């Protein structure tokens, strides 16, 4: 499939529990992967712009995650930090194909990618 | 046609004056208010509690946007008045709006005075005056460590305490040898300084700031004596400067502030000034009570009511810092004509000074025990002859009752000094409007709406007025989170009544703003539901904060701590060796004895956490949970020559009986073998002091953020009774506590006597204890449960595709 060439296969969807984040490490890039309660999958940078809090460990509500360090609220769709705080984090494209989660736009993608 | 009344300013004094006018005559004026802050008017006094983390910005709004609308007040917010044209009777704003007036009130308040030393304009230098200032300070505290507050007055000390609460290390710089010299004498100031130092506040006394240095952002302060202090934030609290420029430009008489007569009228008869921007008989006031008194006079005058005019105010102040209770009113320093009654109790750290001139009280300084402050200040303001009082009865209420004696307070006595609300007004409002809670009284009368210090008095008056109908548990009434206006009690009652089974169902049925909830209500609902349905409700890991979900405290770098259970602080050589071996194998960076008498492994990598548990083969110490953390114990009669009972054995048993079960917040307990109290049990959530004839039980103590000494419950004869009462107590807390509320504030909220009463009733005890025991059967030791569950083990893995 063409999409697998651009995206990296990460894990089985069934192992990604709703509303409990999963840290994905590719090279020195750390990505927080989430399955929302509506079933959609989102991937964002795993570093809160505030103090590098690991967002994969945060409480997920709708399409937002609350950073476990200081409770910043961040949109998993746009990457935007919600008021009263400010900032933005990187978001990654995701896809679910044949029961597997794929992430696109990773820096190390080319190096690591193989036709798994 | 109604006349046009324009107010420049949208602060506390101004808005209060408008309220007073509306209360007298709603039709008389067409009102416009011009305010440059982008908020409806809010209670500036409460910025200190906001900074101290005790309340929120939302809660300090006095009149929200609806108030302006429903009172037909035209508000120009985010607009600044830049010119008053007295000839054409118009005000012009920075946006070019021209507002004509018939009567104009200037209520521009004042600004923080920033010392004009070099570097005062660096980033990180701020006054403490507005919501913006407070937000900036809160933000700074998230990123930086060191703060300096310049000025050891009321505001400076409150700011310093607030910044400490936000995790900053704070130095207070003061020009004079004593703190709060406007309100305290040397003796009281010294006690205050000692107490604040004990809280960790640092002082640089008799230092004159000559320079603020830094490269873009402030890095430190230099003083006249050549010394310096490093910091990332400077808060200027050296005084205020009345905002009088507009009036001066318009040609009105301005001294230190805008000069007014007893009717608050400036030198232009159709222009008035109230509040901190006004100077009356040579004094510009900076406290809230006089500003309200001025507003009342002006409201009377503008609505054509007879008024005696404003005659100046005698001031009283209190400091909003926990653990430093002080009251100051009237004169502070003795002179040739005054006599002083001084009582100093160095043991209790309290100090009382009453200055008397010609048999009348002219000054009151209280430190430590301030319960007499309101009463003495009332005698002072009335100018009562105190000949009939003995000096002892001036200091102590007859009968030696240390509680609030509400009945003895006369109706015209002021209860809320900030808003000038008398006891009579409060009682009248309760009876006329059928009020039952503090918040309702606050909404109707404004009592307790500013600094909040009189809340206890207001509640006592409520209790006295309502008698049996007073419900202590109903007194707190704020929504449990931003998603709902329902309180904890309302939510829990609805879950019970409607038989709600899941957090999502609860949020939908109760109309939460977000169906998914937020980081505040998610864990709370999870707790309430499991507390109410221990058998059927399955704990929702996704609603747990990371530390509880992962059964370990996440450290700031994303690693975790592993702290195994050590009942009563005991361990064995085998366990110690194993802990050492595991720590070595996993390169644990820090091994430390924790504050709760256990051994903690800190900095364990997330992926190693389950393996570390597995190899330790020990139970979880629940050091991350809202449940029993530990029972601190001394060795007691097993080893100690003073030990009266087996405190260690009891401590271990207590820990085993209570552990694992979720509670609204963490709990710490202690058992000590004799009244020497080596296990420090009097600041625990539940404490046991062993004595020759049994066990003294204590509850509701706290040794953390806000220290609270335990209240005594009862003395029992056997260990079994201790365990039974402990279970009943924990269950009572489980069933009535607000999620996130420790037992100390819970006891304060519900009332010590209520707790005693509930735990004095055998039927209650039996019911509570059995519900607790039932709940406990639904809990399994956390680490072994997690290790057995593949899905939960996977929460610790990291995907590396």
């Amino acid at each position: 499939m063409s999409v697998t060439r651009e995206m990296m296969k990460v894990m089985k969807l069934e192992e990604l529990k709703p509303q409990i984040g999963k840290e994905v490490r590719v090279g020195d890039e750390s990505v927080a992967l989430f399955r929302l309660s509506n079933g959609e999958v989102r991937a964002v940078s795993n570093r809160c712009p505030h103090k590098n809090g690991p967002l994969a460990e945060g409480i997920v509500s709708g399409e937002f995650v609350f950073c476990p360090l200081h409770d910043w609220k961040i949109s998993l769709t746009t990457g935007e930090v919600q008021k009263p705080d400010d900032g933005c984090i990187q978001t990654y494209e995701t896809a679910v194909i044949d029961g597997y989660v794929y992430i696109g736009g990773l820096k190390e993608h080319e190096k690591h990618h193989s036709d798994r | 046609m109604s006349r046009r009344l324009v107010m420049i300013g949208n602060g506390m004094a101004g808005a209060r004056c408008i309220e007073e006018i509306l209360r007298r005559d709603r039709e008389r004026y067409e009102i416009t208010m011009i305010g440059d802050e982008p908020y409806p008017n809010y209670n500036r006094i409460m910025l200190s509690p906001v900074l101290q983390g005790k309340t929120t910005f939302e809660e300090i709004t006095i009149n929200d946007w609806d108030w302006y609308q429903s009172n037909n007040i035209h508000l120009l917010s985010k607009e600044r008045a830049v010119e008053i044209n007295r000839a054409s009777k118009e005000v012009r704003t920075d946006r070019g709006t021209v507002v004509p007036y018939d009567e104009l009130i200037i209520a521009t308040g004042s600004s923080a005075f920033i010392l004009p030393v070099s570097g005062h304009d660096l980033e990180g230098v701020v006054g403490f005056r507005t919501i913006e200032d407070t937000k900036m300070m809160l933000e700074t505290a998230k990123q930086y460590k060191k703060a300096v507050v310049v000025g050891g007055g009321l505001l400076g000390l409150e700011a310093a305490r607030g910044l400490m609460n936000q995790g900053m290390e704070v130095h207070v710089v003061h020009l004079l040898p004593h703190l709060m010299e406007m309100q305290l004498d040397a003796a009281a100031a010294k006690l205050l300084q000692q107490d604040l130092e004990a809280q960790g506040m640092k002082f640089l006394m008799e230092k004159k700031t000559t320079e603020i240095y830094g490269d873009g952002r402030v890095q430190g302060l230099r003083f006249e004596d050549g010394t310096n202090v490093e910091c990332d934030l400077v808060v200027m609290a050296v005084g205020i400067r009345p905002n009088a420029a507009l009036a001066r430009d318009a040609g009105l008489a301005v001294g230190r502030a805008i000069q007014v007569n007893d009717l608050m009228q400036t030198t232009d008869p159709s222009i008035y000034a109230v509040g901190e921007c006004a100077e009356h008989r040579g004094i510009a006031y900076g406290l809230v009570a006089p500003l309200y008194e001025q507003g009342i006079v002006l409201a009377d005058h503008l609505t054509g009511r007879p008024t005696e005019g404003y005659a100046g105010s005698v001031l009283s102040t209190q400091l909003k810092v926990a653990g430093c209770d002080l009251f100051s009113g009237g004169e502070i320093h003795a002179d040739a004509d005054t006599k002083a009654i001084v009582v100093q109790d160095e043991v209790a750290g309290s100090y009382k000074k009453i200055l008397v001139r010609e048999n009348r009280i002219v000054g009151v300084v209280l430190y430590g025990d301030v319960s007499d402050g309101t009463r003495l200040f009332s005698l002072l303001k009335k100018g009562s002859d105190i000949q009939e009082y003995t000096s002892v009865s001036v200091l102590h209420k007859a009968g030696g009752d240390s509680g609030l004696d509400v009945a003895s307070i006369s109706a015209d006595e002021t209860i809320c000094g900030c808003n000038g609300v008398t006891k009579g007004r409060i009682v009248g409002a309760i009876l006329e409007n059928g009020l039952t809670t503090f918040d309702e009284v606050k909404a109707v009368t404004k009592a307790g709406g500013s600094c909040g210090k009189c809340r206890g008095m207001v509640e006592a008056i409520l209790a006295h007025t309502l008698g049996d109908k007073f419900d202590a548990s109903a007194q707190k009434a704020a929504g449990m989170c931003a998603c709902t206006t329902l309180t904890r009690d309302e939510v829990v009652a609805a879950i019970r009544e409607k038989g709600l089974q899941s957090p999502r169902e609860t949020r939908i049925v109760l109309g939460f703003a977000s169906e998914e909830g937020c980081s505040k209500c998610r864990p709370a609902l999870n707790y309430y539901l499991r507390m109410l349905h221990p058998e059927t409700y399955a704990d929702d890991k996704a609603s747990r904060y990371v530390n509880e979900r992962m059964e370990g405290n996440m450290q700031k770098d994303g690693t975790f701590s592993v702290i195994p259970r050590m009942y009563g602080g005991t361990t064995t050589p085998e366990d110690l060796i194993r802990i050492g071996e595991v720590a070595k194998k996993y390169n644990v960076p820090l091994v430390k004895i924790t504050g709760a008498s256990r051994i903690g492994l800190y900095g364990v990598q997330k992926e190693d956490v389950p393996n570390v548990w597995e190899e330790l083969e020990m139970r979880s110490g629940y050091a991350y949970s809202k449940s029993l953390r530990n029972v601190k114990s001394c060795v007691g009669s097993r080893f100690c020559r003073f030990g009266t009972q087996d405190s260690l054995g009891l401590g271990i048993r207590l820990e085993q009986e209570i552990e694992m079960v979720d509670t609204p917040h963490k709990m710490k307990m202690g058992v000590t073998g004799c009244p020497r109290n080596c296990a420090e049990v009097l600041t625990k959530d539940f404490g046991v002091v062993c004595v020759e004839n049994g066990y003294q039980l204590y509850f509701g103590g706290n040794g953390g953020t806000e220290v609270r000494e335990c209240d005594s419950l009862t003395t029992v004869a056997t260990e079994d009774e201790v365990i039974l009462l402990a279970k009943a107590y924990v269950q009572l807390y489980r069933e009535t506590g607000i999620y996130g509320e420790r037992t100390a504030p819970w006891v304060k909220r519900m009332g010590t006597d209520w707790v005693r009463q509930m735990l004095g009733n055998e039927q209650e005890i039996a019911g509570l204890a059995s519900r607790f025991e039932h709940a406990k059967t639904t809990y399994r030791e956390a680490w072994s449960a997690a290790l057995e569950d593949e899905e939960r083990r996977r929460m610790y893995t990291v995907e590396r595709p």
Side-chain angles (χ1 to χ4, degrees):
Chain A
M1 274 176 116
S2 65
V3 70
T4 55
R5 209 160 289 151
E6 293 148 21
M7 301 183 97
M8 182 178 284
K9 186 174 180 179
V10 176
M11 65 188 294
K12 274 190 194 159
L13 177 65
E14 64 170 27
E15 291 184 358
L16 184 61
K17 290 294 146 200
Q19 300 193 300
I20 293 185
K22 172 60 68 184
E23 181 181 356
V24 179
R25 250 180 254 166
V26 180
D28 58 2
E29 211 168 354
S30 178
V31 177
L33 188 61
F34 299 93
R35 186 169 165 190
L36 308 184
S37 51
N38 65 9
E40 289 177 22
V41 173
R42 297 271 191 277
V44 297
S45 157
N46 191 31
R47 298 277 166 257
C48 179
H50 178 215
K51 296 239 170 164
N52 288 329
L55 297 174
E57 316 293 346
I59 288 184
V60 183
S61 167
E63 57 173 51
F64 299 97
V65 65
F66 292 85
C67 175
L69 289 192
H70 303 96
D71 212 30
W72 279 31
K73 184 180 180 184
I74 300 173
S75 164
L76 296 175
T77 304
T78 65
E80 272 171 33
V81 175
Q82 305 297 297
K83 295 291 168 192
D85 303 305
D86 292 296
C88 193
I89 54 170
Q90 190 183 344
T91 57
Y92 300 86
E93 235 182 291
T94 58
V96 177
I97 298 160
D98 296 338
Y100 281 87
V101 180
Y102 289 75
I103 303 181
L106 293 158
K107 270 188 292 196
E108 303 267 321
H109 169 65
E110 291 306 321
K111 249 188 279 175
H112 287 252
H113 182 68
S114 62
D115 232 342
R116 284 181 282 185
Chain B
M1 197 190 120
S2 54
R3 290 168 66 76
R4 292 164 301 188
L5 175 66
V6 174
M7 172 169 283
I8 305 177
N10 183 27
M12 296 177 71
R16 179 63 188 267
C17 180
I18 297 290
E19 281 189 315
E20 293 289 344
I21 290 170
L22 290 171
R23 221 159 58 152
R24 285 162 179 71
D25 191 340
R26 301 188 62 84
E27 309 301 324
R28 196 178 191 106
Y29 292 107
E30 188 182 298
I31 301 171
T32 304
M33 293 175 81
I34 306 171
D36 58 355
E37 281 191 76
Y39 304 96
N41 77 81
Y42 59 92
N43 191 336
R44 221 176 276 286
I45 297 178
M46 293 301 271
L47 289 174
S48 289
V50 169
L51 187 62
Q52 292 180 28
K54 292 181 177 165
T55 186
T56 62
F57 287 116
E58 291 73 38
E59 284 172 45
I60 68 171
T61 299
I62 301 175
N63 296 310
D64 58 18
W65 300 118
D66 288 347
W67 175 79
Y68 297 92
Q69 219 163 26
S70 58
N71 287 298
N72 283 322
I73 296 167
H74 184 49
L75 174 67
L76 301 172
S77 85
K78 289 192 253 180
E79 278 193 60
R80 203 160 46 82
V82 291
E83 191 196 342
I84 301 168
N85 187 333
R86 289 167 54 196
S88 59
K89 288 196 154 189
E90 283 169 345
V91 179
R92 194 166 55 80
T93 76
D94 57 347
R95 293 195 182 178
T97 314
V98 174
V99 189
Y101 65 83
D102 296 308
E103 315 278 357
L104 176 67
I105 303 173
I106 306 177
T108 44
S110 61
S111 306
F113 180 64
I114 304 287
L115 288 177
V117 295
S118 93
H120 70 268
D121 48 0
L122 285 171
E123 194 188 329
V125 181
V126 67
F128 184 23
R129 193 78 201 141
T130 62
I131 286 188
E132 295 304 331
D133 294 340
T134 313
K135 280 190 173 161
M136 187 274 218
M137 286 158 75
L138 288 169
E139 204 45 49
T140 306
K142 286 185 191 167
Q143 295 175 37
Y144 296 96
K145 198 79 204 110
K146 290 180 179 166
V148 165
V149 174
V150 183
L154 197 66
L155 195 64
L157 296 177
E158 290 181 1
R161 180 64 248 185
L163 291 169
M164 283 165 61
N165 286 18
Q166 298 301 329
M168 295 193 88
E169 183 190 322
V170 183
H171 278 92
V172 174
V173 174
H174 197 54
L175 189 59
L176 297 170
H178 300 298
L179 297 173
M180 287 183 69
E181 71 282 350
M182 301 288 282
Q183 290 92 11
L184 298 182
D185 60 6
K190 205 171 134 217
L191 287 172
L192 172 64
Q193 189 175 340
Q194 282 169 358
D195 281 349
L196 290 171
E197 277 169 351
Q199 293 184 10
M201 202 179 285
K202 300 194 177 97
F203 291 95
L204 296 165
M205 304 299 286
E206 297 182 73
K207 296 275 187 188
K208 184 173 178 190
T209 308
T210 52
E211 186 197 347
I212 302 171
Y213 61 90
D215 184 10
R217 186 176 183 89
V218 57
Q219 287 167 335
L221 252 63
R222 235 182 294 281
F223 304 113
E224 199 173 45
D225 60 8
T227 59
N228 69 310
V229 59
E230 288 181 5
C231 62
D232 316 302
L233 172 72
V234 175
V235 178
M236 289 278 185
V238 288
I240 52 173
R241 196 172 41 191
N243 294 327
L246 209 54
R248 190 181 289 116
D249 293 346
L252 300 174
V254 173
R256 183 174 142 63
I258 306 165
Q259 290 172 344
V260 294
N261 62 19
D262 287 0
L263 294 172
M264 310 313 293
Q265 205 162 30
T266 67
T267 42
D268 179 332
S270 47
I271 303 182
Y272 302 83
V274 283
E276 292 177 347
C277 64
E279 175 185 321
H280 173 260
R281 297 187 192 174
I283 302 173
Y285 295 94
L287 292 167
V288 70
L291 316 187
Y292 287 161
E293 290 171 22
Q294 295 175 355
I296 289 170
V297 169
L298 181 53
D300 279 338
H301 174 69
L302 286 175
T303 53
R305 259 141 243 252
T307 169
E308 289 173 12
Y310 178 64
S313 298
V314 190
L315 301 178
S316 75
T317 38
Q318 300 193 23
L319 179 71
K320 291 182 288 300
V321 171
C324 300
D325 289 326
L326 66 83
F327 181 95
S328 157
E331 297 176 28
I332 299 145
H333 300 289
D335 62 25
D337 304 330
T338 54
K339 293 195 169 60
I341 303 166
V342 179
V343 177
Q344 182 154 18
D345 181 346
E346 290 188 351
V347 180
S350 78
Y351 172 83
K352 304 182 181 194
K353 182 171 85 173
I354 291 142
L355 285 178
V356 179
R357 186 184 291 122
E358 291 164 1
N359 289 322
R360 281 171 175 76
I361 297 178
V362 293
V364 180
V365 175
L366 305 177
Y367 189 84
D369 175 7
V370 298
S371 53
D372 285 333
T374 308
R375 193 175 58 86
L376 291 172
F377 190 61
S378 163
L379 291 175
L380 181 155
K381 284 214 285 193
K382 280 189 212 157
S384 307
D385 192 314
I386 57 161
Q387 266 182 20
E388 59 186 278
Y389 294 81
T390 67
S391 62
V392 173
S393 79
V394 169
L395 293 167
H396 289 282
K397 287 173 202 132
D401 183 2
S402 61
L404 289 168
D405 188 3
V406 182
S408 74
I409 299 173
S410 68
D412 62 345
E413 199 158 304
T414 302
I415 301 299
C416 173
C418 296
N419 295 305
V421 186
T422 61
K423 179 191 169 193
R425 175 102 201 279
I426 295 173
V427 172
I430 294 170
L431 296 176
E432 280 165 33
N433 303 303
L435 310 181
T436 57
T437 67
F438 168 76
D439 285 308
E440 289 171 0
V441 173
K442 185 173 82 176
V444 174
T445 66
K446 293 207 177 288
S450 295
C451 84
K453 273 263 182 189
C454 62
R455 182 180 180 136
M457 291 276 269
V458 174
E459 286 182 357
I461 292 170
L462 259 170
H464 185 253
T465 310
L466 296 176
D468 291 344
K469 282 179 281 173
F470 179 70
D471 181 2
S473 62
Q475 294 305 311
K476 185 162 180 145
M480 59 182 281
C481 70
C483 303
T484 179
T485 55
L486 297 174
T487 63
R488 176 264 178 219
D489 287 348
E490 289 165 335
V491 170
V492 170
I495 294 173
R496 274 185 209 272
E497 285 159 20
K498 300 182 198 296
L500 305 176
Q501 297 296 329
S502 79
R504 195 179 176 79
E505 183 189 8
T506 306
R507 288 189 294 265
I508 292 171
V509 171
L510 301 185
F512 277 44
S514 158
E515 275 179 23
E516 299 254 338
C518 67
S519 56
K520 248 189 177 165
C521 61
R522 285 275 296 278
L525 289 178
N526 187 49
Y527 167 76
Y528 296 137
L529 282 159
R530 187 163 182 189
M531 180 267 289
L532 293 167
H533 309 304
E535 208 136 357
T536 52
Y537 179 75
D539 188 40
D540 175 23
K541 294 290 169 209
S543 284
R544 293 252 185 192
Y545 179 64
V546 54
N547 293 352
E548 295 179 57
R549 185 182 344 117
M550 304 295 274
E551 312 283 352
N553 286 323
M554 193 185 67
Q555 309 297 307
K556 66 176 191 179
D557 61 353
T559 63
F560 286 82
S561 64
V562 172
I563 301 174
R565 179 69 77 194
M566 292 185 175
Y567 290 110
T570 55
T571 181
T572 62
E574 292 73 25
D575 278 350
L576 284 175
I577 289 167
R578 201 167 328 113
I579 289 172
E581 281 171 349
V582 173
K584 247 162 96 176
K585 176 171 171 188
Y586 289 94
N587 292 318
V588 172
L590 177 70
V591 181
K592 184 187 178 298
I593 307 294
T594 71
S597 316
R598 291 101 70 97
I599 294 176
L601 309 182
Y602 294 85
V604 179
Q605 295 298 323
K606 181 167 75 175
E607 291 172 285
D608 290 337
V609 168
N611 303 329
V612 169
W613 295 343
E614 204 156 38
E615 290 178 40
L616 282 175
E617 289 179 54
M618 296 171 74
R619 293 170 73 86
S620 166
Y622 286 78
Y624 45 80
S625 73
K626 289 183 170 39
S627 71
L628 176 66
R629 295 291 175 86
N630 73 312
V631 180
K632 184 169 179 172
S633 318
C634 68
V635 296
S637 59
R638 290 192 194 180
F639 290 90
C640 178
R641 65 196 161 111
F642 298 117
T644 61
Q645 310 278 0
D646 179 15
S647 52
L648 182 58
L650 178 57
I652 291 171
R653 189 175 158 203
L654 188 60
E655 194 165 336
Q656 288 168 338
E657 299 269 10
I658 307 293
E659 68 172 337
M660 304 193 295
V661 181
D662 291 309
T663 47
H665 205 322
K666 66 182 173 186
M667 295 188 81
K668 296 186 169 191
M669 299 189 176
V671 183
T672 200
C674 76
R676 284 169 193 77
N677 192 15
C678 296
E680 299 163 329
V681 306
L682 296 181
T683 48
K684 300 293 183 211
D685 295 278
F686 185 74
V688 183
V689 178
C690 300
V691 289
E692 284 298 342
N693 61 343
Y695 306 85
Q696 297 172 344
L697 306 185
Y698 294 88
F699 66 98
N702 193 308
T705 327
E706 199 164 321
V707 178
R708 181 177 193 270
E709 196 182 320
C710 281
D711 293 309
S712 108
L713 180 61
T714 181
T715 301
V716 296
T718 65
E719 282 195 5
D720 287 347
E721 289 168 277
V722 175
I723 300 292
L724 182 72
L725 277 168
K727 286 176 180 169
Y729 167 71
V730 173
Q731 186 66 15
L732 188 63
Y733 172 48
R734 273 165 52 78
E735 291 178 4
T736 57
I738 298 170
Y739 184 77
E741 175 186 49
R742 289 291 298 269
T743 61
W746 169 71
V747 167
K748 263 168 116 173
R749 180 168 63 85
M750 305 300 288
T752 303
D753 288 338
W754 177 80
V755 177
R756 286 200 187 109
Q757 197 188 327
M758 295 297 282
L759 298 178
N761 177 323
E762 271 179 38
Q763 243 179 325
E764 286 286 355
I765 295 171
L768 287 163
S770 108
R771 290 197 293 281
F772 179 84
E773 283 166 2
H774 176 68
K776 187 150 189 282
T777 60
T778 68
Y779 283 83
R780 280 199 54 200
E781 193 280 312
W783 291 351
S784 55
L787 287 172
E788 283 170 22
D789 183 338
E790 264 315 303
E791 228 171 66
R792 286 188 62 190
R793 277 194 86 134
R794 264 205 302 274
M795 295 195 327
Y796 301 85
T797 59
V798 172
E799 294 297 328
R800 291 189 172 79

